[in-house]
Each structure stands twice: as structure tokens, then as C-alpha cells.
Amino acid sequence: MIGFVGLGNMGAVLAANLVAAGHPVVTHDALGPARSPAPAVHVDDVAEVARRAEVLVLSLPDGTASEQVAREILATENRGVGCVVDASTIGPSAARTIAELLAKDGIGYVDAPVSGGVAGARARTLTVMYAGTDEACARAEPVLAGLSDRRHRVGDRPGMAQALKLANNFLSATTLAATSEAVAFGLAAGLDLATMLDVLNTSSGRSAATEDKFPRHVLTGRYAAGFTNSLMAKDVRLYLDEVEEQGGPAVVGRSAAAVWEDFATAEPGADFTRIFPFTEGS
Ligand code: NAD
């Protein structure tokens, strides 16, 4: 039995993928069963998931939530869970802390953050990057195979996949913010958005922002990628915190963090693709 805690925009799709792959699944979300995929069983608390499941997947907002759930698992008597797979973006420091907590009670931990959005999760093209000991990864791999068809083990220590995920989201956040400024500049110069995207996408300024987010969400006015600006601001802040702790270069990082913080403060919970109208209006 696989446990799944956190049935938000991403978690609900990942849990549905596990069900579709033929796994028996037990779920829990603090907001209740509305997004639990049939025929998974939704239970009222983490303890009940920890009793029924052997491997437990998390898709939670941040490291505080993941650590809280880890502590609830540890406080559960007669638990069945022997391995926790954390698909949330929480950063390397939180991943190491949680791995150490769980290891004291003999529970394995694999950090397995994901990239590719809710649409990628539905299409099973989501990239799952994961890290952990050989033993923990061996337990996690059949479960990871149920989540997506694209999986990369990137290290043998918990937190290493989180480092790669933060590097990825720093690039994604920066490119989307920079593209928003460049498009606002082009529109003010009299260019048309569709024309700009056509030309950028055969030129050297192309990126996931010009190839995916702008055509699907800005050009259409949908703004429904299923990832909030608050979560993106958290990711860039986590990246910057880690870089500053290392004493690494952070000039662009500081700028990107400030842009996303401003956007998330002005419009908390907005779809992250709305950074374009936010930028254009500011
Ligand atoms: P979300 O805010 O939509 O969902 C989070 C869910 O966790 C909510 O349903 C909430 O009720 C539940 N939750 C929070 N604390 C809980 C607790 N203590 N116990 C039980 N349930 C709890 O977030 P999301 O977009 O689904 O993202 C989840 C994680 O995946 C985040 O770390 C995010 O950064 C990462 N992520 C999301 C996307 C995306 O496109 N949405 C892409 C890549 C990575």
C-alpha cells in the first residue's frame, strides 16, 4: 500500500498516476478528501496513512509542512511505513533535517522533487529527480515509476535532488521574469505578442517561457498553469538562502528573488504565469 499526503494542484495528479499505475493508495490532505482520486481510500489523519502504507509520498507546500508530517509519522504507533518519498520542493537543508529525523527510527527518506508542471504530471513527462541511500532508493523506485516516466537518480545523499530542483527553479523563475520584461518592452515598441513569440522561438532568446508558458497561458489569457507565485517565490528564496550560505555568486539570484517576492506579496496565490501582467503594469 502506498500512502500519499498533500492532494494539491500537483499532489492530486501524482496520486491519480499511482492509482492509474495499479497501486493501492491511501491518501490524506488537511483540506479533506475532495481531490483524492478514486478508488484510493482517504483517511482523516497522517497517523492512519502511516499505519496502512509501506511507502509514503509527500507533496506539501514547504519544508515546515514536510517536517510536521514526518514528526506525525514518527509519533504513530504500529506504523507500517519504512520509507518516505518527498516530492515537495523544500530545499536541501530541510531534506537533510527530515532524513536525519526519520533515520533515527529506521525510516528511509528519498527527496524526489519534480519539474514540468501539472500538465507534465498528467502526461507522465514530469521530471522526477531523486536522491538517497541505495536501500531507500530501492524501496522508492517502484513508487517513483508510478509517478512519471522521466526519472533521474542524481545522488546518494538526501537533499542533492533538492539542490538540483532549486537550480532549475531559479532558472525557470528568472527566465519567466526576464521574458515578461522583454515582451513588455516589445509591446510598448508596437510589436504584436504572437509575432514576438514566433520569432523568439526560432531565435536565441527562446526558453520554456517563450515556448510553453507564454503561448499557453499569456497569449491565450488562460493564466492557469497550476503553480502559484507564492510557491515560486518560496523556491527562489530557498535557492538564494542556500547560495548565500555557500558564499556563491548571487547577483542575479537576489534580483530574481526580489521580483518574485514583490509579485507574491502584491497578488498572493496568483498563478505564476500572471507575472507578465504584473510586470507590464508595474
Ligand atoms: P498546493 O498548495 O496546491 O497543495 C498543497 C497541499 O498540501 C494542499 O492541498 C494542502 O491542504 C496540503 N497540506 C498542507 N499542509 C498539510 C499537512 N500538514 N497535512 C496534510 N496536508 C497538508 O501545492 P502544489 O502546487 O500541489 O505543490 C506541492 C509541492 O510541489 C510544493 O512543494 C511545490 O513547490 C511543488 N511543485 C509544484 C508544481 C506545480 O506545478 N504545482 C511543480 C513542481 C513542484
Side-chain angles (χ1 to χ4, degrees), residues 169-171 173-175 177 232-233 236-237 239-240 250-262 275:
N169 274 31
F170 162 62
L171 289 172
T174 304
T175 312
M232 187 56 113
V236 186
R237 199 181 323 114
Y239 167 81
L240 184 60
V251 177
V252 181
R254 274 192 282 274
S255 241
V259 168
W260 283 94
E261 205 65 61
D262 284 353
I275 190 162

Side-chain angles (χ1 to χ4, degrees), residues 16 44 53 68-69 81 142 169 179 198 278:
D44 286 341
Q68 185 192 323
V69 169
V81 61
N169 274 31
T179 305
D198 280 348
F278 174 75

Side-chain angles (χ1 to χ4, degrees), residues 1-275:
M1 177 75 85
I2 299 172
F4 204 105
V5 177
L7 301 166
N9 288 328
M10 179 55 78
V13 179
L14 293 179
N17 287 357
L18 288 174
V19 168
H23 293 286
V25 178
V26 55
T27 64
H28 170 70
D29 190 285
L31 294 179
R35 296 174 94 171
S36 184
V41 181
H42 185 273
V43 295
D44 286 341
D45 54 31
V46 171
E48 189 56 25
V49 180
R51 274 190 286 272
R52 295 193 192 198
E54 289 103 46
V55 176
L56 203 163
V57 184
L58 309 180
S59 181
L60 294 165
D62 53 30
T64 307
S66 286
E67 185 173 333
Q68 185 192 323
V69 169
R71 289 187 185 280
E72 286 171 43
I73 294 168
L74 289 169
T76 304
E77 284 178 18
N78 303 322
R79 59 175 179 255
V81 61
C83 182
V84 172
V85 175
D86 198 346
S88 329
T89 306
I90 63 172
S93 303
R96 284 193 298 269
T97 301
I98 295 167
E100 281 163 22
L101 264 178
L102 293 171
K104 282 185 197 148
D105 262 27
I107 301 176
Y109 179 84
V110 173
D111 65 313
V114 299
S115 175
V118 171
R122 282 201 191 95
R124 297 186 56 87
T125 56
L126 193 74
T127 296
V128 181
M129 48 203 103
Y130 65 100
T133 63
D134 289 349
E135 194 188 346
C137 287
R139 292 195 81 163
E141 275 157 2
V143 177
L144 297 173
L147 298 180
S148 179
D149 295 333
R150 287 190 189 158
R151 304 176 301 280
H152 302 272
R153 185 175 177 195
V154 300
D156 57 6
R157 280 177 286 122
M160 291 175 75
Q162 288 291 336
L164 184 47
K165 169 65 182 172
L166 292 189
N168 178 80
N169 274 31
F170 162 62
L171 289 172
S172 167
T174 304
T175 312
L176 187 56
T179 305
S180 296
E181 289 189 6
V183 168
F185 161 74
L187 295 182
L191 290 161
D192 161 78
L193 177 55
T195 306
M196 281 189 81
L197 293 175
D198 280 348
V199 176
L200 287 170
N201 282 332
T202 56
S203 305
S204 53
R206 73 185 178 280
S207 66
T210 60
E211 289 179 332
D212 176 31
K213 283 143 203 159
F214 265 76
R216 284 196 195 176
H217 298 285
V218 179
L219 191 59
T220 60
R222 284 180 65 234
Y223 296 109
F227 184 53
T228 64
N229 58 357
S230 314
L231 289 178
M232 187 56 113
K234 165 210 61 171
D235 292 352
V236 186
R237 199 181 323 114
L238 279 172
Y239 167 81
L240 184 60
D241 288 349
E242 295 281 338
V243 171
E244 286 181 337
E245 201 178 308
Q246 282 178 356
V251 177
V252 181
R254 274 192 282 274
S255 241
V259 168
W260 283 94
E261 205 65 61
D262 284 353
F263 175 32
T265 303
E267 298 174 31
D271 195 87
F272 81 131
T273 55
R274 285 196 181 276
I275 190 162

